[in-house]
Structure formats: structure tokens, C-alpha cells
Amino acid sequence: MNHLLNVQLLLLTILLQYGAVTSQVNPGVCRYPLGMSGGQIQDEDISASSQWSESTAARYGRLHFEEGDGAWCPEITVEPDNLKEFLQIDLRSLHFITLVGTQGRHAGGIGNEFAQMYKIKYSRDGSRWISWRNRQGKQVIEANRNAYDIVLKDLEPPIIARFVRFMPVTDHSMNVCMRVELYGCEWLDGLVSYNAPVGEQMKLSDQPVYLNDSVYDGAIIHSMTEGLGQLTDGVCGQDEFTKSHVYDAWSGYDYVGWNNESFPDGFVEIMFEFDRTRNFTSMKVHCNNLYSRHVKAFRQVVCFFRSDSDWEAAPLTFSPVMDEKNPSARFVTVNLANHMANAITCQFYFGDAWMLFSEITFQSDTAMYNTTLAPPKTRSPPNIQQEEDPTHKIDDSNTRILIGCLVAIIFILVAIIVIILWRQVWQKMLEKASRRMLDDELTASLSIQSEPFSYNPNPSGESSEPESNSAYEHIFPLGPDYQEPSRLISSSGTATSKSTATTVIQDGVPHYAEADIVNLQGVTGSNTYAIPAVTMDLLSGKDVAVEEFPRQLLTFKEKLGEGQFGEVHLCEAEGMQEFMNEEFLFDIPVDQPVLVAVKMLRSDANKNARNDFLKEIKIMSRLKDPNIVRLLGVCIYSNPLCMITEYMENGDLNQFLSRHEPEGQLALLSNAATVSFSNLCHMASQIASGMKYLSSLNFVHRDLATRNCLVGKKYTIKIADFGMSRNLYSGDYYRIQGRAVLPIRWMSWESILLGKFTTASDMWAFGVTLWEILNFCKEQPYSQLTDEQVIENTGEFFRDQKRQIYLPQPVLCPDSLYKIMLSCWRRNAKERPAFQEIHRALLELQP
Ligand SMILES: *[C@@H]1O[C@H](CO)[C@@H](O)[C@H](O)[C@H]1NC(C)=O
Ligand SMILES: *[C@@H]1O[C@H](CO)[C@@H](O)[C@H](O)[C@H]1NC(C)=O
Ligand SMILES: *[C@@H]1O[C@H](CO)[C@@H](O)[C@H](O)[C@H]1NC(C)=O
């Protein structure tokens, strides 16, 4: 591949996700943890029927948490026929809940209580409680088998509620404890109930079709009142209404339908009630239109609006165009013309003998659903989301929300003060620590320069390696001894300590010992790129090749990340296309803003951080490769210093793949977006290509993973480095007390044990990245191992007594590809392939 004319550049840091937004809730995507494990749900919003002791109170019922005695436990033993105990969560606003997770009390091995089964009750107003049932009418949910595993259960149908209760159930008298999490998203429709005539039965010649609302959760007598059901479950019916997505369902399951003979006035009246007065923009009604069976969308709709307690006199009338050509089911959009209302009554006029609806959604204010899938801990707290999220509008008339706002602002201010204080302390400590680490690293590489795993692209002379197990044990705890392999080597006696700071150049290739360690991540992470001094000189031969971008043309959109000395923001840049001239091609029209990531140094950062930042700009501006994220411009004439880098519309590869499925039967059934095997290989080969470029410059990335790759149009990939400060992936990093965070699940054994980062250790990480890709990022590497066990496994790689565990072959992965992965994880760094080879091999794999 020829990179000559391609202009790109290595960036660090960035983004979370510029979420796509839609007007309907999508149950497949609306699966965010709502804040039990992330802490966004406050302690006071978690309550219970009783507690065994103060240390097993309701607030300890958070999934993943080990605080207190490790879970919520009720006071009384749960009896089979006594369903009094419950754990209750108040989400502060209506949520669409699609998934629940439960866990028992493990308490580091002391606890062994869990709930084998439970029921769920929920409420939208706090007074009327509804028992959840699945689509087959069953209430009891099977749950945990042991005290530690998390069991996730999809809620089919989903729940729309503000309050949720977990009620443990057992078949014999036993002690139970629970930790729980709810997954979903805010219910932006705001609908709390619809009241409608009951659905009817259609008699087709071959089969009866039941068009009742089978999951309605209100009262059903002559009509349906005070409930929600199939019209709000997020499932749209198919064109052929007798079929259903739901397994085992009867004919007509997805639709609620009425016949014109039962409605002499010619219309069906449905009343919708909302949580508060809203400014309505539209209503979308999903209608069947199988006209050959006398089913058509409505001919006309007349809507009345109620604000406060009075119904407005003048209704809104809308007549959609009748369609006798296309029999497909469709959303008919009714413009509600910014009417303010807390209830709407609509009369839907029959267009034919039958009218069948499967979904009705409402759009109000400017609220839109975010349809991108974000893993845990990225959501702002549900209860203060309204204030933080620009897509929400606060209803002034509602004093409760106002007070909520003020409280939230006070909380945020307190949090900011705490963070500022925390930073000042930590900044000092981290500076000290990183200086010490740098010293140690240099000493380390000096003292073990004859050791074969040190960075030495062209080693000559015999080498010896530390072999004794005692040596390994010595550094294993990653305690104070970590980063001091010099001591290790001299104590193990297999290498003599040569702690002289003389530079050794072999065959003109710089040895790691003389490497000028450039801290490219001082701002957003604690990572450092190692780059030999010689290369550094090459890079700094000319002046910075990027230009000053007018700061005022940047519009803040979202905070993407944060580090020790700065922050990364997602911004819109006006006029970026002209600014870059023809040097860089955007596929966005000139008059539209371009999305960019802006990394900025906090103005109070110290001199070292400033210098590093400028150095980083210098290096970044020289990196140009189609598969490396590119530096577009800088703002260095005034504070705060900024670096403007490319941003890709599909977010990072990890999130991108998590919301896709492999091609095949399953994906077809679930209607999920898919990525073909050849496209997976295409993406992997681009990563290999970008890495090939970096390694040709002797750049060591140190944190290659899917979370650090960006996805653009047509599966294009660019490698970035977001630093290790994104909450989103905090679980991927191992925290060493007071020191660095390390992506241990991606790191080679020699990086973990000896602190060696080389192109060969990048190759190891590439193997893990490949493994993630083939698993569609559905699983963390070594997910069944704890961090400590991962490090232990690293020791097995070092000892090489065939006890090391390799990542398993992914289902989708052909043998040839798995062989490539295994070659990346060879113990001897020199035996691992080069990125050139890997790139070639991956190109060959693509059909
Ligand atoms: C809807 O109809 C089906 C089929 O007759 C029946 O089994 C089910 O109980 C009905 N559901 C409701 C809520 O009436
Ligand atoms: C409703 O929203 C629209 C568009 O945002 C706005 O122009 C209008 O003034 C709002 N109506 C009321 C009564 O607030
Ligand atoms: C119901 O619809 C059919 C077909 O459009 C029509 O022939 C019939 O007269 C309608 N019945 C009533 C009561 O409106």
C-alpha cells in the first residue's frame, strides 16, 4: 500500500460517541445500565421492605459492589409462600427497562446467599403496583445459582416505570441476599397510559386472528384503562399481520385491531395520558396496510388536547394519503403542531373494515432517543440527566424539577471542588511517580540491555534471560518492586548489572537505552510512547506542519475524556474544509461544520506538561497514514493549548462491533445489523497497516485495542489513542496503587513483568485486538479471569511450563486466523511476526 499522498495522523485521546438519535425507543439498543453499579442511582433512592443489619441495607444491593457486607439481605428468611420482602429502586423519572441483572452476596468468599428466583413489580406513579409477567404470562424469573455470577434476564415485554421492586422467591425456606442492576433508557415519550377499546378477533377462513392487547398492564373490562401494553413495547408488527416476531405467539400477536362494525361512529377513540405537560411535535402510529384483507391505515385522525384540566375546544385534524398500492406496514406521522398538553384524545377513522396498530410513539419538546450502544458507566445519572442533556427541555412550570435542578447543580459544584482538590494532590503525586517511573524504566533498560526481550531490533551478541522463579516471584506483586527490574536482574544473578548510562549503538540502530521517552499522553492518560531519540530528531527536523485554527470556530458538543492535565472534547469546527484546503478531503459540504476531537491542556498545567504537549503536537503532525487518526490543526497562540484531531462518525470499533452481529440465521431472525467476515478481515488488515506504519517509525503504541480504533464510512479504520481516562473502559485497565493504569488483558507478558514495551509487544496486543474483533467485542479478553489471575497467567507465560492459558478460538475464526493470533502471543518476542507479514496475511484472507 502506498501511503505517500495520504494525509493522516496519529492522535491520542478522543471521544466517546456521537450518538445517532431517533424518535422511537429501540429496545435492542436501549440497554444502558441505569446506575446501581455505576452509582448514579443515589443511596436514598434504594429502599427495602427490611434489612438483616445496617451492613446489608438496601443501598448495598448494587450489582458488582462489595461494600458493606456485600449485598442487600432482608431481615427475615424468605418462605416459599411469603412474598413480603422486596428491594425497591426509584429511578426518579419514567424509564423503559429492557433487562435486569442479579447477583448474590459473595463478600470475598464469606457470603453464600443468593436468590434462585424472583418476581418484579413496578409502578409509574408510586401508588399503583403492577406484577410483571412475561409474554407467556409467567411471573417468576429464574435467577442465580451461586453467590457471585451475574445473571442477566431480558424483560419481554419491557417495563415502563419509575419504581421497580425485586421480590425474591424460593421453593424452600432460605436466607437470600441480592445485588441488582436495571438496564434501559429514559422513557422520553412520557406516556403513562393509553385507554382504548379492547382489541377484537378477526375470523379468517383458515385461522382466527387475535388482535387483543396481550401485554396491557392496566385494567381490561369493557375497555382498556390506565395501562400501557403492546402499543408501547417497541415491537413493530410485520406486513403480514398473522405472523409475529415473538416465538410461539398466536396469530395477530403484534397488533391491536378493531373492526368498523363495532364502531357505529366510524372511529376508534384512544386517550393518551402523560407524565407532565409537554410541547408535542408529532405522533407516529405504526399501522398495518394489508388492503387485500380489508386492513388499512386510518383515513383521518382528530385529536383533542388537554392542558391543565381543560380540553381545548379546537381539535387538530389530519388525513393521511390513503395507500392502496403498497401493502407494507408503516409509521404514519401526525404533526401535532407544538400543542401543549398532558393528555391527548385521538379519534382514528376507519379507512376500511379493519384498523390494526402495533406501536404509537410521541415526540415532544426536543427529546430524542440515543440509539448508540454505550457500555456501563457512561450514562449521566438518570435523575440529573434532564439538566445535563441538551436534548431535554425543562418545563418551567414544574417547581419540583427546578428544585431538583438546584440540588443537582449544588452536587455538581461540590463534585467539581472535590475534583479540583483531588487533582492538585494527585497531580503532585503522579508527577513524582511518573518521574520515578521514567528513571526506573531507563535504568531498567540500561541494566538489562543484553536481555533478549529488551527493545533491540538488531541484537548482536549472546543474551541471557532471567529464568529463576524466585525472580518472578520477586516482582510479581507489582508492588513497590515493580518497575525496578534492575534489582530483579542483579538479584537473580543471571545478568550482571551494567548500570552505566553509556549509549550503545549497534549497526546504527538506536538501542532502547538511548530512547528519549516522549510522554505523548501526559494530558489524557498516563501512557507514554517510547520513541528513539534518532527518530525524534527526524521528526523535529522541520517546524510544526499544522496551522493555527481560529478557536472561535469551535463549538463544544460533548466531553469525551479527561486526564491528568487536560480534557478531550467533541466539537464542531466551522470552515475546517477551507482551512485544510485540498490537503485533506472531507466528505462533508463546505458550509457544514465538521466533527472534530479537541484535546486541550488545562491552563494551569505545569511547564513540563506544556512542553510535552508541544512535543506531542510536533510528533503527531508528522504522522500521516490513512489508518492513523490525523491532527488537523492547533490553537497554540493563546491558552488553553489545543490540538484538533479527526473524528470518525461511527465511534470506536469496540462500540461499533458490540452493536453488530455476525451474518447468519440468528441475525436475520433478530433483525440485527451485521458485519460480514470479509469486512472484519478488511478492518483488521487496516489496523495492521496503520501499525505497520507506526512500527516503521519505531513508534510503540502501547495501548492497541478495539477501543482505540475509530470506524468511519465503509468500514474504514483509523488507529487513535484515547488515553486511559475514559470511564467507559475503566474495566479494561488495571490500577497499580498510586501509579499507572495498565491494559493488562492486552499486554504481553514482558510488558507486564518487565515493563518492556516494543513493537513486538504491540504485536501481542494486535493479536488480542484481532480476537476481540472476531468475537464482535461481546466479551472482554480473559473475561473469566480476575485481574490478579490475568497477571498470574502472565507468570505462566514467563515460566513457560505449558500452564499458560491462551485466549480461545472464537466461533467465527477459521484455523488459519487463529494460528496468526497464536503467533502474536509467542513467548519469545523475536519470534512474533512483523506487522508487514500480518498485513499481507490478512489481505490474503479476504475473499
Ligand atoms: C388475548 O387473546 C389470546 C388468544 O385468545 C388469549 O390467550 C389471551 O389471554 C388474550 N389476552 C388478553 C389480555 O385478553
Ligand atoms: C414549543 O416548541 C416550539 C419549538 O421548540 C417553540 O417554538 C414553541 O414556542 C413551544 N411552545 C410553547 C408553548 O412553549
Ligand atoms: C365497514 O367497512 C366496509 C368496507 O369498507 C364497508 O363496506 C362497511 O359498510 C363498513 N361498515 C360500517 C358499519 O361502516
Side-chain angles (χ1 to χ4, degrees):
M1 216 194 255
N2 184 357
H3 301 145
L4 251 183
L5 290 175
N6 292 308
V7 238
Q8 301 303 333
L9 122 58
L10 194 268
L11 123 347
L12 333 160
T13 50
I14 314 196
L15 90 130
L16 220 37
Q17 178 87 167
Y18 176 60
V21 287
T22 61
S23 57
Q24 286 125 239
V25 65
N26 176 350
V29 165
C30 168
R31 294 163 79 87
Y32 308 103
L34 295 180
M36 288 294 278
S37 45
Q40 297 94 334
I41 294 174
Q42 304 297 311
D43 282 348
E44 65 260 31
D45 294 330
I46 310 171
S47 55
S49 51
S50 69
Q51 64 192 42
W52 177 262
S53 65
E54 191 46 43
S55 56
T56 59
R59 65 174 181 281
Y60 297 113
R62 297 171 182 272
L63 201 81
H64 274 307
F65 267 53
E66 293 280 352
E67 257 89 289
D69 272 341
W72 162 70
C73 311
E75 182 185 13
I76 315 156
T77 313
V78 175
E79 306 285 344
D81 52 356
N82 176 2
L83 259 185
K84 281 201 307 236
E85 304 302 334
F86 61 81
L87 177 65
Q88 175 177 323
I89 299 159
D90 176 0
L91 294 167
R92 293 299 181 112
S93 62
L94 290 176
H95 279 71
F96 192 86
I97 302 161
T98 53
L99 185 70
V100 286
T102 56
Q103 204 179 6
R105 185 179 88 94
H106 187 49
I110 305 163
N112 191 28
E113 297 85 11
F114 53 92
Q116 297 168 309
M117 295 172 277
Y118 59 91
K119 293 186 185 180
I120 285 181
K121 280 197 175 186
Y122 60 92
S123 173
R124 290 187 271 274
D125 56 7
S127 63
R128 194 172 75 93
W129 288 87
I130 306 159
S131 295
W132 179 83
R133 295 166 188 277
N134 71 6
R135 294 197 189 272
Q136 284 74 39
K138 206 176 147 214
Q139 288 189 25
V140 174
I141 301 172
E142 297 285 328
N144 302 80
R145 307 237 147 188
N146 58 44
Y148 41 90
D149 283 331
I150 295 169
V151 173
L152 296 173
K153 292 285 173 180
D154 277 294
L155 293 180
E156 278 284 349
I159 289 174
I160 295 165
R162 173 179 158 178
F163 303 90
V164 177
R165 282 179 183 172
F166 288 83
M167 315 182 72
V169 176
T170 67
D171 52 9
H172 59 279
S173 154
M174 70 183 278
N175 288 323
V176 296
C177 296
M178 288 184 95
R179 286 179 282 170
V180 304
E181 177 65 289
L182 298 168
Y183 302 82
C185 56
E186 203 176 1
W187 175 236
L188 301 178
D189 284 43
L191 192 61
V192 289
S193 75
Y194 58 81
N195 301 339
V198 281
E200 298 176 279
Q201 198 186 111
M202 183 193 287
K203 291 192 180 64
L204 290 181
S205 54
D206 50 337
Q207 57 181 340
V209 182
Y210 301 100
L211 298 167
N212 60 1
D213 192 333
S214 43
V215 298
Y216 193 71
D217 65 11
I220 308 176
I221 305 168
H222 300 296
S223 65
M224 303 189 278
T225 49
E226 281 200 59
L228 295 173
Q230 279 191 296
L231 296 183
T232 52
D233 68 354
V235 181
C236 291
Q238 305 192 5
D239 300 351
E240 175 54 73
F241 56 81
T242 54
K243 297 211 179 86
S244 169
H245 293 292
V246 177
Y247 173 73
D248 222 11
W250 56 79
S251 174
Y253 185 91
D254 290 340
Y255 285 96
V256 184
W258 304 273
N259 180 249
N260 70 346
E261 301 291 338
S262 322
F263 298 86
D265 297 335
F267 61 79
V268 170
E269 186 173 278
I270 307 181
M271 179 166 119
F272 305 94
E273 292 185 286
F274 298 87
D275 54 349
R276 59 180 166 85
T277 301
R278 289 171 173 259
N279 183 341
F280 285 95
T281 50
S282 59
M283 166 173 75
K284 293 185 177 184
V285 186
H286 191 260
C287 310
N288 191 280
N289 201 46
L290 202 61
Y291 51 81
S292 57
R293 293 236 156 112
H294 298 288
V295 177
K296 258 190 226 140
F298 53 91
R299 170 170 60 83
Q300 189 185 51
V301 63
V302 178
C303 293
F304 300 84
F305 298 87
R306 186 186 74 189
S307 49
D308 302 326
S309 53
D310 307 321
W311 290 92
E312 273 175 37
L316 178 146
T317 303
F318 173 74
S319 307
V321 185
M322 295 308 282
D323 181 350
E324 299 219 354
K325 300 221 167 53
N326 182 353
S328 41
R330 80 274 317 271
F331 269 109
V332 176
T333 303
V334 180
N335 182 350
L336 297 181
N338 288 114
H339 275 273
M340 299 292 292
N342 57 25
I344 303 177
T345 297
C346 290
Q347 297 167 344
F348 296 92
Y349 284 82
F350 285 91
D352 207 326
W354 285 93
M355 197 157 59
L356 270 53
F357 296 166
S358 76
E359 281 292 291
I360 301 185
T361 71
F362 287 88
Q363 292 72 46
S364 55
D365 307 334
T366 50
M368 294 293 257
Y369 289 98
N370 185 333
T371 64
T372 45
L373 194 60
K377 294 173 195 155
T378 61
R379 305 292 292 175
S380 49
N383 45 350
I384 61 165
Q385 199 168 338
Q386 268 188 319
E387 289 79 51
E388 287 198 342
D389 190 337
T391 60
H392 286 65
K393 219 164 145 188
I394 300 160
D395 184 348
D396 296 341
S397 66
N398 198 329
T399 34
R400 259 191 14 235
I401 292 179
L402 247 174
I403 291 169
C405 262
L406 290 175
V407 171
I409 289 169
I410 290 168
F411 266 114
I412 291 170
L413 285 177
V414 169
I416 290 173
I417 291 169
V418 169
I419 289 171
I420 290 173
L421 290 176
W422 182 86
R423 263 189 183 155
Q424 283 178 348
V425 174
W426 274 91
Q427 188 170 318
K428 281 203 191 91
M429 287 181 64
L430 283 170
E431 263 171 42
K432 240 190 238 165
S434 62
R435 219 174 297 133
R436 207 165 53 216
M437 243 165 85
L438 254 174
D439 291 350
D440 291 347
E441 217 162 303
L442 283 171
T443 333
S445 44
L446 280 171
S447 54
I448 52 174
Q449 53 189 230
S450 57
E451 195 269 319
F453 303 109
S454 60
Y455 181 83
N456 190 344
N458 226 346
S460 59
E462 81 296 314
S463 50
S464 58
E465 56 185 271
E467 281 171 335
S468 76
N469 285 355
S470 65
Y472 163 66
E473 300 298 353
H474 184 64
I475 49 171
F476 169 67
L478 288 185
D481 290 336
Y482 179 63
Q483 296 289 358
E484 287 188 53
S486 51
R487 235 213 277 168
L488 146 78
I489 302 301
S490 48
S491 68
S492 72
T494 49
T496 40
S497 178
K498 303 178 197 160
S499 300
T500 44
T502 45
T503 305
V504 184
I505 294 186
Q506 294 159 336
D507 309 330
V509 180
H511 189 272
Y512 185 71
E514 62 177 313
D516 180 359
I517 308 280
V518 184
N519 187 348
L520 285 191
Q521 270 197 329
V523 177
T524 50
S526 48
N527 199 2
T528 48
Y529 283 83
I531 166 167
V534 173
T535 320
M536 182 69 203
D537 284 338
L538 282 179
L539 289 166
S540 51
K542 285 188 223 151
D543 272 322
V544 175
V546 282
E547 284 178 50
E548 180 81 7
F549 185 78
R551 191 185 289 276
Q552 67 278 12
L553 298 184
L554 295 173
T555 317
F556 172 81
K557 289 201 70 90
E558 199 179 314
K559 186 155 128 192
L560 298 172
E562 186 175 357
Q564 203 181 331
F565 297 121
E567 292 182 354
V568 185
H569 293 173
L570 176 65
C571 293
E572 275 180 353
E574 268 174 69
M576 182 55 85
Q577 296 90 327
E578 285 162 37
F579 177 78
M580 297 300 292
N581 287 324
E582 59 286 345
E583 210 208 323
F584 188 73
L585 291 176
F586 290 95
D587 42 18
I588 297 171
V590 169
D591 51 346
Q592 271 174 36
V594 175
L595 279 176
V596 294
V598 178
K599 176 174 170 182
M600 58 182 84
L601 190 70
R602 291 176 339 136
S603 36
D604 59 346
N606 62 19
K607 218 173 152 196
N608 285 347
R610 267 181 89 88
N611 283 341
D612 285 345
F613 195 82
L614 293 173
K615 228 186 233 176
E616 181 181 334
I617 289 176
K618 227 181 219 175
I619 295 169
M620 301 265 308
S621 66
R622 299 283 166 196
L623 294 179
K624 291 182 180 175
D625 183 88
N627 299 118
I628 303 283
V629 167
R630 155 120 207 245
L631 180 65
L632 300 173
V634 293
C635 308
I636 46 175
Y637 291 167
S638 61
N639 276 330
L641 302 187
C642 292
M643 225 183 274
I644 304 167
T645 56
E646 235 182 320
Y647 178 87
M648 306 260 278
E649 62 229 25
N650 282 324
D652 73 54
L653 182 57
N654 189 292
Q655 294 181 38
F656 179 79
L657 284 180
S658 321
R659 50 176 198 266
H660 285 76
E661 297 288 339
E663 278 184 338
Q665 213 57 36
L666 255 167
L668 266 181
L669 283 178
S670 64
N671 228 344
T674 59
V675 179
S676 67
F677 177 74
S678 80
N679 280 328
L680 289 183
C681 289
H682 177 51
M683 293 195 281
S685 71
Q686 292 176 73
I687 300 175
S689 174
M691 290 305 295
K692 187 171 85 178
Y693 174 77
L694 283 190
S695 63
S696 73
L697 292 175
N698 278 336
F699 258 100
V700 180
H701 187 291
R702 289 187 174 220
D703 193 13
L704 182 60
T706 54
R707 63 181 172 275
N708 277 330
C709 297
L710 290 180
V711 187
K713 283 201 180 72
K714 294 193 190 135
Y715 306 106
T716 49
I717 297 279
K718 292 184 189 205
I719 301 170
D721 188 342
F722 305 114
M724 298 174 180
S725 52
R726 284 191 299 171
N727 283 340
L728 193 53
Y729 296 112
S730 59
D732 289 347
Y733 295 99
Y734 179 76
R735 227 159 258 284
I736 300 172
Q737 274 186 345
R739 286 216 179 154
V741 284
L742 295 173
I744 53 170
R745 289 163 198 271
W746 282 258
M747 278 164 72
S748 66
W749 71 267
E750 75 273 10
S751 303
I752 294 181
L753 296 182
L754 303 172
K756 300 263 98 190
F757 291 88
T758 63
T759 296
S761 61
D762 273 355
M763 180 49 79
W764 181 297
F766 178 81
V768 181
T769 307
L770 203 51
W771 183 90
E772 288 186 273
I773 293 175
L774 271 295
N775 274 314
F776 275 78
C777 299
K778 300 284 191 283
E779 195 189 325
Q780 198 190 33
Y782 302 111
S783 59
Q784 73 282 14
L785 303 188
T786 61
D787 285 347
E788 287 70 26
Q789 286 167 332
V790 169
I791 293 167
E792 239 164 81
N793 190 37
T794 303
E796 296 297 349
F797 270 104
F798 169 71
R799 282 194 282 263
D800 202 20
Q801 293 165 342
K802 307 275 176 274
R803 285 200 304 244
Q804 62 269 47
I805 304 169
Y806 290 88
L807 288 167
Q809 181 167 2
V811 181
L812 274 184
C813 180
D815 292 346
S816 56
L817 198 53
Y818 189 53
K819 259 197 202 131
I820 294 183
M821 288 180 201
L822 290 176
S823 70
C824 298
W825 304 323
R826 288 191 185 133
R827 180 177 186 272
N828 188 342
K830 276 185 295 175
E831 287 171 11
R832 294 177 203 151
F835 280 109
Q836 250 148 315
E837 285 168 54
I838 292 280
H839 181 224
R840 213 178 312 121
L842 284 171
L843 285 182
E844 277 163 16
L845 262 178
Q846 286 170 57

